[in-house]
Structures are given as C-alpha cells and as structure tokens.
Amino acid sequence: MKLIANLSNVDHQTTLQAGVSPQQLMEAAGQQVTNIVQAHTKPGQRGILVCGPGNNGGDGFVCARQLYEAGYTQLTVIYTGTQYRNEALENLEKLLLGLPIEILPAAEKPQQALNRIGAADFIVDALFGSGLSRTIAGLEAQLVEAINARQAQAPCWVLAVDIPSGVDSESGAILGTAVQAHQTVTFAVGKPGLYLYPGKGCAGEVIVADIGIPPRLIEEEPSPYQLIEPTDARQWLPQRKPDSHKYQYGHVLVIAGSQAMPGAAVLCAEAAASCGAGLVTLASMPSVFRQVPCRAEIMRLPLPDAHELGAASVATIQEALANGRYNTIVIGPGLGRAPETLAAVQALLAHFQTLPLPVIVDADALFALAERTMALSEHFILTPHVGECARLLHRENAAVSAHLPQAAQAARERYKATVVMKSAATLVATQAQASNEPSGAASESQPLWISPTGNPGMATAGSGDVLSGVIGALAAQKQAQQQPVWQAAPLGVYLHGCAGDAAARHRTVYALRASDITRYIPEAFQAILQPPTR
C-alpha cells in the first residue's frame, strides 16, 4: 500500500480534476470520524472534541455537528485557532450559530478546557493533522498531556483524526509531545508516520478511510513509501513447481561464526535452510563446528583458520566460489572484529564485487565495511541496525534514530546497495526497479518499504542473524529462478516479522528467543499463503 506523508496536493488535484469541493472532502472526512465514534461510544456519554487551528480542526467541527444530529448531546468542542478560514471557518460557524453544543475557545478559557478533558468519556483528537511541522508547546502541549492523562487514568476512548497530534507524518518522530490514541482514522491513504516508531506506538489501530479521492490521483502523487502487505508478500514468494529439484531453489553460502560466537553462524544457516533454499553450506572454523553442531541439512565448508576468520580463509572461500555452485552469499554473523578478520572481510567484499551473486552483508561484516568505506553495487543487501547504520554513515546514533527513512536512503546512495534498516518498524530501501517488473504496489523508482510485522520479543540476541539467513535463502531462490532479487529483502523482513509474531503468540514477548523465530517460519509462510478470512 502506498503511503503519503501529506495529502494537500492530492486534495487540490481532487478539486481540480474530479470536481470534489474542499467542503465535500471535509464533510466526508468528518463523516468517517463520526462513523467510528458511533461504533465505539453511546449518545449519553460525555464527548470532548479538541480541534486545532487548521483543516484537521475543521474535520472535528463536522464530526461534532454530525454527532449532535445523531443524538449525542453531551458534547464539548474545544478549539485553539483564532483565525479560521474557508471550510474550517464555515463549519465552526455552523456550530456557533446553529447548535446548543458547548464551545470553548481554549486560549480564553484554558483551565475550563483542561477540566472538560479530565471528565471525558471519549475524546476526538482533531488538534493537528499531517501538516504539522513544528514542536507542540504551551497550551497546545497542555491539552495533549491532559488527553493522555485522562486516557491513562480512566476508561476513556481516544480517537485521533488523520494522525495523533504531535506525530510527524513522515518520520513518526514526536514533535514535543503526542496524543496516545486507541485508534487513528486517516484519510484516503496511510501516512508513513503511522507505521514508524515512535509514531506507531501512539496511533493504536489504524483505519484508512475513503473520502472520495480518486485512486488514480493517489498513485500519481510522488512518494517512495510503501507498506508491505500480505498481497505483496504472496506475489513475491519464489515459485515451487511440482517437478522441480533442489538446484532450482538456490545454494546459500553462509560465512559466519568464530570461537567466541559460534551460535550466530548456526542461527543464520538454519534459518536459511528453513526458508526454502535448496542447499545451505556453512563456511566456518573447526572450533565453530565443534562447539555448536548444525542440523543434518547444513553442509560444511571448513576454513583453515582455527578460531576466527583470517587471511588463510580468503583463498579457500574464493576457490569454493570459483566453481559457480553458489547462488547467494551471506557474510558477517558472529565473525568478530579482530584486525585480521576485518581485513579478510574487506578482501572478500572486494572479491564479491566481481561476482554476479546477491550478497547479504550483516553484523561484523558491516563493521568491516564501515572501517573501509567502499561503493558496492545493487546486488548487495546491507542489514544494519541503527548503530551499525550510524557507523556506516559516520553519524551519531541519535541522528539516525530521529530520521530513519533519510538514513536508510543515505546508506543506499552511499553504498549503491539495498539497505534493510532494522528497527522496531524495519525499513527496506530498495534500488531502482525496472518498470516492467512485477513490483506489487510499488510505483516509485526507489521505494522505501515499511514492514508492519514484528514485536518487542524479537529484540533479542541472534534475531538479526536469523533475518540475514531468511533473506539469503529467498535471494538464492530468486537468483536461481531468474526472478527480481530485490524482492527478497522486503519479503524476508515481512516473513521474519510474521515468524516472530507467531513465536510471541506461543511463547510471549518475554520468553521469545531467536531460535524460536526460525521454529515458527512455517507458520509465517502459512499466514502469507492462506491469510485469515474476515
């Protein structure tokens, strides 16, 4: 599903091209808010509508009128604007002149407004929408904090209009403070900030409501943001033909592990074997194989170095790759950061540049890459978390955390590679796609895919190692079947999150381990292949 941070241009084009007036759009938006309020509340309850200075406030005014007409008489409208214009002004005047609803100008009666919020049974947050670009402060911040305090201390249901007030619609950042909503109704199309943390944590359940904007205008509006949906994942799955054999599903070479971190290698290799790869070979040191036995399905490529990757192993790996039997390489999990290891990884990355194979670069291999910045190419997939991305870009962690989409795009541009930005809501910055590729909902040249799957239980050691194995297996199948390899990254992220969600359902977010994610990969595939019916 395409995501657009701000719909102002789409609204304008709807009026110009489709003849839908701004007043009609506001009336439709208000009606959608009203419908949701009626589904969750009763007319006898005390409702507070907090309306801001712009069109978001206008949507709230429409909702207040419609609720009153539907029998809601215990309503208070709190407004913060002083110079309303056009449709918002028209709808405020309808309230002031025509209906016996309590109307409070917050600037004139601040304490009364705060007291009303403190006694609410339900609250409609129509303070700020997706156009907010400044920090919320002063009385507006007090109103937001009062909404949150009421929501926390009593069974008071909160609905945000368009986006929770205070959430940046593009990055999901909190602009000073933000409303904590149970649900958010957003119009025509989702906003990126509703699916990226911390904004996602404020939004609750997100409802995308139709207000009469033609789908064609949404598709024509430039935006790189795409939400990965089950239909995308099903379309991207590699084919499984009845008369096929293992070599049609790719051979993954995993270069991972050290004496200090042998488990990372096994987690990565076993995840690859569980995601449909025809063959998986683990290249590692004897100490790794002695400490943590692999499952029987995993083949071994013993490396000459005793405890950690070094110069002696480079030639062995290059020789193994020369026979052309591998379809994908995964490098990095658990390798360590000894100087000789970093030098060996850097030499291997330079060699991989000459091979027409997908290469997934993770963990300690990302550290080696950051130590010696080199441009890679579109067949590389980097999988950094925030700290690793900051190192790759030579930035502070806080700067990357505050602007995840921009950081993912910057890393993609610097390294000429697909970038999987691992976070609470993982972003995938893919390379340009050919227009004739079956790219699902993606229509932009360089999409930023946001995954809705995953949970806090996945914040555990080894989860990233499993992800690199999952992506490696999917990339190997895509490569072997001559399908678009870029799809392996967003599909892998979505599938990994689905498996984590299944694991959390069975084990809770407290007891979840990385190996559980691999254990529930079959359930994740089932969720993609056979989505639940409504």
Side-chain angles (χ1 to χ4, degrees):
M1 176 176 71
K2 188 171 189 173
L3 305 175
I4 300 176
N6 193 317
L7 278 184
S8 57
N9 183 59
V10 176
D11 288 346
H12 181 62
Q13 292 303 316
T14 298
T15 298
L16 289 180
Q17 298 187 36
V20 181
S21 69
Q23 177 61 38
Q24 289 174 307
L25 287 173
M26 186 170 287
E27 190 73 17
Q31 184 64 64
Q32 291 287 8
V33 179
T34 300
N35 292 344
I36 296 172
V37 171
Q38 288 181 293
H40 288 83
T41 65
K42 298 177 181 178
Q45 293 179 301
R46 173 166 291 280
I48 307 298
L49 296 95
V50 184
C51 302
N55 285 343
N56 202 243
D59 297 337
F61 297 148
V62 172
C63 175
R65 169 170 50 81
Q66 293 174 346
L67 284 175
Y68 182 82
E69 292 169 351
Y72 286 72
T73 57
Q74 302 298 309
L75 298 177
T76 298
V77 174
I78 298 169
Y79 70 90
T80 63
T82 56
Q83 293 183 329
Y84 286 98
R85 298 185 302 168
N86 304 325
E87 300 78 43
L89 176 60
E90 180 181 337
N91 283 294
L92 175 58
E93 289 175 340
K94 288 180 181 179
L95 294 180
L96 292 170
L97 301 176
L99 297 177
I101 296 176
E102 182 180 33
I103 311 292
L104 288 178
E108 297 177 19
K109 302 178 180 180
Q111 192 56 53
Q112 193 172 347
L114 295 172
N115 291 342
R116 291 292 186 273
I117 292 172
D121 294 316
F122 69 87
I123 299 170
V124 175
D125 162 34
L127 188 56
F128 294 108
S130 56
L132 181 67
S133 59
R134 62 177 175 83
T135 299
I136 295 180
L139 178 57
E140 295 164 338
Q142 292 178 26
L143 293 172
V144 170
E145 293 303 326
I147 293 172
N148 291 342
R150 182 59 179 170
Q151 188 245 40
Q153 71 184 19
C156 176
W157 176 75
V158 178
L159 174 67
V161 177
D162 194 31
I163 196 165
S165 293
V167 173
D168 184 276
S169 63
E170 183 167 10
S171 69
I174 304 302
L175 301 174
T177 186
V179 167
Q180 293 284 333
H182 293 97
Q183 288 184 307
T184 297
V185 55
T186 194
F187 305 121
V189 64
K191 314 304 183 289
L194 293 172
Y195 303 97
L196 294 169
Y197 284 96
K200 183 178 179 179
C202 297
E205 179 190 6
V206 176
I207 301 166
V208 180
D210 179 18
I211 58 172
I213 293 176
R216 171 181 58 84
L217 296 179
I218 293 172
E219 287 307 310
E220 290 176 354
E221 182 69 9
S223 175
Y225 297 100
Q226 307 285 341
L227 183 70
I228 306 171
E229 296 186 287
T231 51
D232 297 313
R234 280 196 297 279
Q235 178 179 307
W236 295 334
L237 284 175
Q239 298 176 2
R240 305 294 293 196
K241 296 181 179 179
D243 60 345
S244 57
H245 52 79
K246 61 188 176 185
Y247 296 107
Q248 291 175 314
Y249 300 117
H251 191 167
V252 182
L253 176 64
V254 176
I255 306 169
S258 61
Q259 185 178 36
M261 292 178 285
V266 176
L267 285 169
C268 181
E270 292 190 351
S274 296
C275 276
L279 304 99
V280 178
T281 293
L282 174 58
S284 198
M285 282 60 67
S287 60
V288 170
F289 295 123
R290 284 196 302 270
Q291 291 183 79
V292 185
C294 297
R295 292 184 181 272
E297 298 89 348
I298 309 299
M299 296 185 291
R300 301 181 181 187
L301 175 61
L303 298 179
D305 292 298
H307 302 305
E308 54 199 11
L309 189 72
S313 296
V314 173
T316 300
I317 293 170
Q318 290 177 338
E319 183 180 351
L321 289 166
N323 60 29
R325 70 168 64 132
Y326 300 106
N327 299 93
T328 292
I329 302 165
V330 180
I331 183 170
L335 287 176
R337 299 177 183 177
E340 59 270 26
T341 299
L342 297 181
V345 170
Q346 291 163 356
L348 287 171
L349 291 176
H351 179 69
F352 297 162
Q353 288 272 55
T354 67
L355 305 176
L357 302 179
V359 181
I360 292 79
V361 184
D362 186 30
D364 295 320
L366 292 169
F367 190 92
L369 179 61
E371 291 287 290
R372 178 187 164 190
T373 300
M374 63 179 79
L376 300 174
S377 58
E378 68 276 0
H379 65 270
F380 281 77
I381 300 173
L382 312 184
T383 62
H385 55 57
V386 169
E388 290 165 339
C389 188
R391 193 176 296 113
L392 288 169
L393 294 174
H394 306 294
R395 298 179 183 177
E396 296 296 324
N397 285 13
V400 171
S401 295
H403 304 284
L404 285 179
Q406 292 80 0
Q409 290 170 312
R412 176 179 61 194
E413 295 308 310
R414 173 170 290 191
Y415 293 95
K416 310 303 179 186
T418 291
V419 175
V420 176
M421 171 68 78
K422 296 183 292 193
S423 64
T426 295
L427 272 163
V428 183
T430 56
Q431 291 295 315
Q433 299 164 17
S435 59
N436 61 346
E437 285 187 357
S439 55
S443 59
E444 307 303 325
S445 60
Q446 290 188 305
L448 274 170
W449 296 92
I450 301 173
S451 177
T453 62
N455 62 81
M458 299 172 72
T460 186
S463 179
D465 304 325
V466 173
L467 176 60
S468 60
V470 168
I471 295 175
L474 296 170
Q477 292 167 77
K478 291 287 187 179
Q479 175 79 358
Q481 297 175 14
Q482 297 183 326
Q483 295 177 351
V485 173
W486 70 264
Q487 297 170 352
L491 173 58
V493 168
Y494 185 90
L495 180 70
H496 180 257
C498 276
D501 290 341
R505 286 193 295 271
H506 291 278
R507 295 184 56 86
T508 78
V509 295
Y510 297 97
L512 196 157
R513 298 183 300 177
S515 57
D516 295 324
I517 301 173
T518 300
R519 187 173 296 116
Y520 287 99
I521 284 173
E523 197 165 316
F525 275 114
Q526 288 175 345
I528 293 172
L529 291 168
Q530 298 175 342
T533 57
R534 293 187 177 181

